Amino acid sequence: MSAICQLENASKIYGSGPTEVRALDSVSVSIEPGEFTVFSGPSGSGKSTLLNLIGLLDEASSGQVFLQGHDVSHLSQRKLASLRAQQIGFIFQSFNLVPVLTALENVTLALQLAGLGGNHKEQATKVLQDVGLGEFLHRRPNQLSGGQQQRVAVARALVKKPALVIADEPTANLDTKSGDNVLDLMHDLNESLGATFLFSTHDPRVMARAKRIVKLRDGRIEADERPNGGV
Ligand code: ADP
Ligand code: MG
């Protein structure tokens, strides 16, 4: 199996009885290496739930989740945490940087948590330079603009050279220009590094540039399209 990740009839049910919500309803989808895929759909359609399953932040109620061909459903919490730290980079809508750490320290921390070798400071500096923040290494998040903070988050996600980068509405809290800059950056990294990107968004600018758009509605896949002749 060449897919980086795959859901097979995956469902997620929150609550039970009268408060039960079927957030994902028997979804099957497969992501190949190097794809730049957007999950779109109205609020509440299941985008975050789906990304959280793929990102090993949450477990399916039924069905299977595969990461690089391995069924992850029976792995221990410890093994899941180490897979997550090493193989997956996350970018969130609200950046989720550690406020008391500098840009450099936030990125270095990701390498420490992943238990990777090498010179962490050197690697983190290089990636921060790559995302255009070479002059801001020692600033804390509150000393950076929203767009710059999201660039730190991109650097933090990529510094581990993960198999998969997952971004849940990454441009939702950014103005148009900063959002476009961050998007340009992710496209460049997708092309130059071959990193696989999964997004959720309802931002038309993000969708316009996706190679693949998977549309969700009520926890189901309504369409799976490759509008720009993407692979
Ligand atoms: P989206 O990201 O597309 O807005 P979500 O995946 O966040 O959608 O939510 C899908 C559905 O699951 C929604 O009806 C939402 O209210 C519900 N949901 C999400 N997370 C939880 C939770 N932790 N507990 C209960 N219901 C939840
Ligand atoms: Mg969401």
Side-chain angles (χ1 to χ4, degrees):
M1 190 177 349
S2 64
I4 283 220
C5 64
Q6 197 180 354
L7 295 183
E8 198 60 46
N9 294 317
S11 294
K12 180 70 189 181
I13 297 167
Y14 292 110
S16 61
T19 61
E20 178 178 300
V21 176
R22 190 170 283 265
L24 273 190
D25 191 4
S26 199
V27 165
S28 298
V29 67
S30 180
I31 306 292
E32 306 298 322
E35 284 195 317
F36 195 97
T37 300
V38 162
F39 292 91
S40 74
S43 182
S45 58
K47 303 182 296 296
S48 295
T49 302
L50 185 149
L51 293 181
N52 289 346
L53 293 189
I54 292 178
L56 312 181
L57 289 174
D58 204 353
E59 282 176 56
S61 307
S62 62
Q64 288 167 296
V65 178
F66 297 91
L67 188 65
Q68 294 177 316
H70 301 288
D71 185 347
V72 301
S73 15
H74 304 295
L75 297 179
S76 66
Q77 287 303 322
R78 192 187 162 87
K79 181 69 189 159
L80 287 173
S82 88
L83 270 178
R84 208 159 47 221
Q86 291 174 2
Q87 304 284 348
I88 301 172
F90 287 97
I91 299 161
F92 298 96
Q93 178 175 341
S94 49
F95 321 139
N96 290 17
L97 300 174
V98 182
V100 297
L101 300 183
T102 64
L104 183 60
E105 289 165 345
N106 265 282
V107 177
T108 313
L109 179 63
L111 288 169
Q112 286 162 1
L113 292 174
L116 298 173
N119 183 328
H120 291 173
K121 200 168 166 186
E122 222 166 72
Q123 293 169 41
T125 302
K126 166 83 171 59
V127 179
L128 281 163
Q129 284 166 346
D130 289 346
V131 303
L133 292 177
E135 292 169 41
F136 302 115
L137 299 179
H138 304 296
R139 292 216 190 166
R140 285 191 299 277
N142 68 1
Q143 299 168 316
L144 296 167
S145 71
Q148 289 167 338
Q149 289 182 56
Q150 197 60 306
R151 282 170 178 266
V152 177
V154 172
R156 177 181 60 181
L158 284 161
V159 74
K160 305 181 286 186
K161 300 191 169 62
L164 198 57
V165 180
I166 295 179
D168 196 358
E169 309 221 22
T171 61
N173 282 335
L174 299 179
D175 62 75
T176 307
K177 189 161 181 298
S178 308
D180 282 343
N181 284 339
V182 167
L183 257 185
D184 285 343
L185 173 66
M186 297 201 229
H187 275 285
D188 287 350
L189 296 165
N190 172 247
E191 308 245 308
S192 62
L193 304 177
T196 308
F197 279 83
L198 297 186
F199 280 72
S200 77
T201 194
H202 19 232
D203 184 341
R205 291 171 299 136
V206 183
M207 282 189 259
R209 300 181 55 181
K211 294 176 184 166
R212 179 179 180 190
I213 300 180
V214 179
K215 293 184 181 156
L216 289 173
R217 181 173 294 277
D218 298 331
R220 289 171 169 268
I221 293 180
E222 173 178 73
D224 187 347
E225 298 161 352
R226 293 172 193 274
N228 300 321
V231 287

